PDB file of all heavy atoms in Angstrom:
ATOM      1  N   SER A 534      24.518   7.670   6.516  1.00  0.00           N
ATOM      2  CA  SER A 534      24.098   9.074   6.588  1.00  0.00           C
ATOM      3  C   SER A 534      23.451   9.418   7.920  1.00  0.00           C
ATOM      4  O   SER A 534      23.519  10.571   8.353  1.00  0.00           O
ATOM      5  CB  SER A 534      23.123   9.393   5.453  1.00  0.00           C
ATOM      6  OG  SER A 534      23.766   9.272   4.199  1.00  0.00           O
ATOM      7  N   ALA A 535      22.793   8.450   8.566  1.00  0.00           N
ATOM      8  CA  ALA A 535      22.128   8.715   9.842  1.00  0.00           C
ATOM      9  C   ALA A 535      21.705   7.406  10.474  1.00  0.00           C
ATOM     10  O   ALA A 535      21.593   6.374   9.797  1.00  0.00           O
ATOM     11  CB  ALA A 535      20.903   9.624   9.651  1.00  0.00           C
ATOM     12  N   LEU A 536      21.447   7.463  11.778  1.00  0.00           N
ATOM     13  CA  LEU A 536      20.902   6.335  12.526  1.00  0.00           C
ATOM     14  C   LEU A 536      19.492   6.669  12.977  1.00  0.00           C
ATOM     15  O   LEU A 536      19.227   7.788  13.453  1.00  0.00           O
ATOM     16  CB  LEU A 536      21.761   6.038  13.758  1.00  0.00           C
ATOM     17  CG  LEU A 536      23.163   5.484  13.484  1.00  0.00           C
ATOM     18  CD1 LEU A 536      23.987   5.519  14.774  1.00  0.00           C
ATOM     19  CD2 LEU A 536      23.097   4.071  12.937  1.00  0.00           C
ATOM     20  N   ARG A 537      18.593   5.714  12.847  1.00  0.00           N
ATOM     21  CA  ARG A 537      17.221   5.871  13.310  1.00  0.00           C
ATOM     22  C   ARG A 537      17.053   4.985  14.537  1.00  0.00           C
ATOM     23  O   ARG A 537      17.299   3.775  14.482  1.00  0.00           O
ATOM     24  CB  ARG A 537      16.233   5.519  12.194  1.00  0.00           C
ATOM     25  CG  ARG A 537      16.430   6.412  10.968  1.00  0.00           C
ATOM     26  CD  ARG A 537      15.462   6.128   9.860  1.00  0.00           C
ATOM     27  NE  ARG A 537      14.162   6.717  10.079  1.00  0.00           N
ATOM     28  CZ  ARG A 537      13.851   7.989   9.847  1.00  0.00           C
ATOM     29  NH1 ARG A 537      14.774   8.836   9.424  1.00  0.00           N
ATOM     30  NH2 ARG A 537      12.644   8.432  10.062  1.00  0.00           N
ATOM     31  N   LEU A 538      16.648   5.605  15.632  1.00  0.00           N
ATOM     32  CA  LEU A 538      16.586   4.929  16.928  1.00  0.00           C
ATOM     33  C   LEU A 538      15.140   4.611  17.269  1.00  0.00           C
ATOM     34  O   LEU A 538      14.333   5.524  17.495  1.00  0.00           O
ATOM     35  CB  LEU A 538      17.197   5.825  18.014  1.00  0.00           C
ATOM     36  CG  LEU A 538      18.594   6.380  17.717  1.00  0.00           C
ATOM     37  CD1 LEU A 538      19.064   7.273  18.860  1.00  0.00           C
ATOM     38  CD2 LEU A 538      19.588   5.263  17.453  1.00  0.00           C
ATOM     39  N   PRO A 539      14.765   3.332  17.320  1.00  0.00           N
ATOM     40  CA  PRO A 539      13.363   2.977  17.554  1.00  0.00           C
ATOM     41  C   PRO A 539      12.989   3.000  19.030  1.00  0.00           C
ATOM     42  O   PRO A 539      13.837   2.917  19.917  1.00  0.00           O
ATOM     43  CB  PRO A 539      13.280   1.556  16.999  1.00  0.00           C
ATOM     44  CG  PRO A 539      14.642   0.995  17.225  1.00  0.00           C
ATOM     45  CD  PRO A 539      15.603   2.155  17.044  1.00  0.00           C
ATOM     46  N   LYS A 540      11.676   3.135  19.252  1.00  0.00           N
ATOM     47  CA  LYS A 540      11.090   2.980  20.593  1.00  0.00           C
ATOM     48  C   LYS A 540      11.727   3.894  21.641  1.00  0.00           C
ATOM     49  O   LYS A 540      11.926   3.509  22.799  1.00  0.00           O
ATOM     50  CB  LYS A 540      11.150   1.510  21.026  1.00  0.00           C
ATOM     51  CG  LYS A 540      10.357   0.598  20.085  1.00  0.00           C
ATOM     52  CD  LYS A 540      10.472  -0.864  20.449  1.00  0.00           C
ATOM     53  CE  LYS A 540       9.566  -1.731  19.580  1.00  0.00           C
ATOM     54  NZ  LYS A 540       9.874  -1.653  18.142  1.00  0.00           N
ATOM     55  N   VAL A 541      12.025   5.118  21.228  1.00  0.00           N
ATOM     56  CA  VAL A 541      12.607   6.089  22.159  1.00  0.00           C
ATOM     57  C   VAL A 541      11.526   6.580  23.120  1.00  0.00           C
ATOM     58  O   VAL A 541      10.406   6.920  22.709  1.00  0.00           O
ATOM     59  CB  VAL A 541      13.224   7.269  21.391  1.00  0.00           C
ATOM     60  CG1 VAL A 541      13.661   8.373  22.345  1.00  0.00           C
ATOM     61  CG2 VAL A 541      14.396   6.792  20.549  1.00  0.00           C
ATOM     62  N   THR A 542      11.871   6.622  24.395  1.00  0.00           N
ATOM     63  CA  THR A 542      10.922   7.097  25.417  1.00  0.00           C
ATOM     64  C   THR A 542      11.497   8.186  26.308  1.00  0.00           C
ATOM     65  O   THR A 542      10.772   8.729  27.138  1.00  0.00           O
ATOM     66  CB  THR A 542      10.450   5.940  26.321  1.00  0.00           C
ATOM     67  OG1 THR A 542      11.586   5.331  26.943  1.00  0.00           O
ATOM     68  CG2 THR A 542       9.672   4.898  25.518  1.00  0.00           C
ATOM     69  N   SER A 543      12.786   8.523  26.156  1.00  0.00           N
ATOM     70  CA  SER A 543      13.367   9.536  27.038  1.00  0.00           C
ATOM     71  C   SER A 543      14.526  10.248  26.357  1.00  0.00           C
ATOM     72  O   SER A 543      15.220   9.660  25.507  1.00  0.00           O
ATOM     73  CB  SER A 543      13.866   8.896  28.339  1.00  0.00           C
ATOM     74  OG  SER A 543      15.069   8.186  28.117  1.00  0.00           O
ATOM     75  N   PRO A 544      14.794  11.498  26.743  1.00  0.00           N
ATOM     76  CA  PRO A 544      15.955  12.211  26.207  1.00  0.00           C
ATOM     77  C   PRO A 544      17.268  11.519  26.542  1.00  0.00           C
ATOM     78  O   PRO A 544      18.223  11.581  25.772  1.00  0.00           O
ATOM     79  CB  PRO A 544      15.866  13.588  26.880  1.00  0.00           C
ATOM     80  CG  PRO A 544      14.452  13.731  27.311  1.00  0.00           C
ATOM     81  CD  PRO A 544      13.976  12.357  27.632  1.00  0.00           C
ATOM     82  N   ALA A 545      17.320  10.845  27.693  1.00  0.00           N
ATOM     83  CA  ALA A 545      18.558  10.191  28.115  1.00  0.00           C
ATOM     84  C   ALA A 545      19.016   9.143  27.111  1.00  0.00           C
ATOM     85  O   ALA A 545      20.225   8.916  26.938  1.00  0.00           O
ATOM     86  CB  ALA A 545      18.365   9.553  29.487  1.00  0.00           C
ATOM     87  N   GLN A 546      18.076   8.488  26.440  1.00  0.00           N
ATOM     88  CA  GLN A 546      18.456   7.484  25.443  1.00  0.00           C
ATOM     89  C   GLN A 546      19.192   8.126  24.265  1.00  0.00           C
ATOM     90  O   GLN A 546      20.169   7.580  23.760  1.00  0.00           O
ATOM     91  CB  GLN A 546      17.210   6.743  24.966  1.00  0.00           C
ATOM     92  CG  GLN A 546      16.571   5.867  26.035  1.00  0.00           C
ATOM     93  CD  GLN A 546      15.214   5.337  25.598  1.00  0.00           C
ATOM     94  OE1 GLN A 546      14.362   6.092  25.108  1.00  0.00           O
ATOM     95  NE2 GLN A 546      15.002   4.049  25.764  1.00  0.00           N
ATOM     96  N   ILE A 547      18.723   9.296  23.833  1.00  0.00           N
ATOM     97  CA  ILE A 547      19.391  10.011  22.747  1.00  0.00           C
ATOM     98  C   ILE A 547      20.786  10.443  23.190  1.00  0.00           C
ATOM     99  O   ILE A 547      21.773  10.259  22.470  1.00  0.00           O
ATOM    100  CB  ILE A 547      18.567  11.234  22.323  1.00  0.00           C
ATOM    101  CG1 ILE A 547      17.146  10.827  21.907  1.00  0.00           C
ATOM    102  CG2 ILE A 547      19.272  11.982  21.201  1.00  0.00           C
ATOM    103  CD1 ILE A 547      17.073   9.911  20.749  1.00  0.00           C
TER     104      ILE A 547
END
Side-chain angles (χ1 to χ4, degrees):
S534 295
L536 292 168
R537 301 181 79 80
L538 308 179
K540 299 177 174 61
V541 172
T542 58
S543 75
Q546 292 170 312
I547 303 299

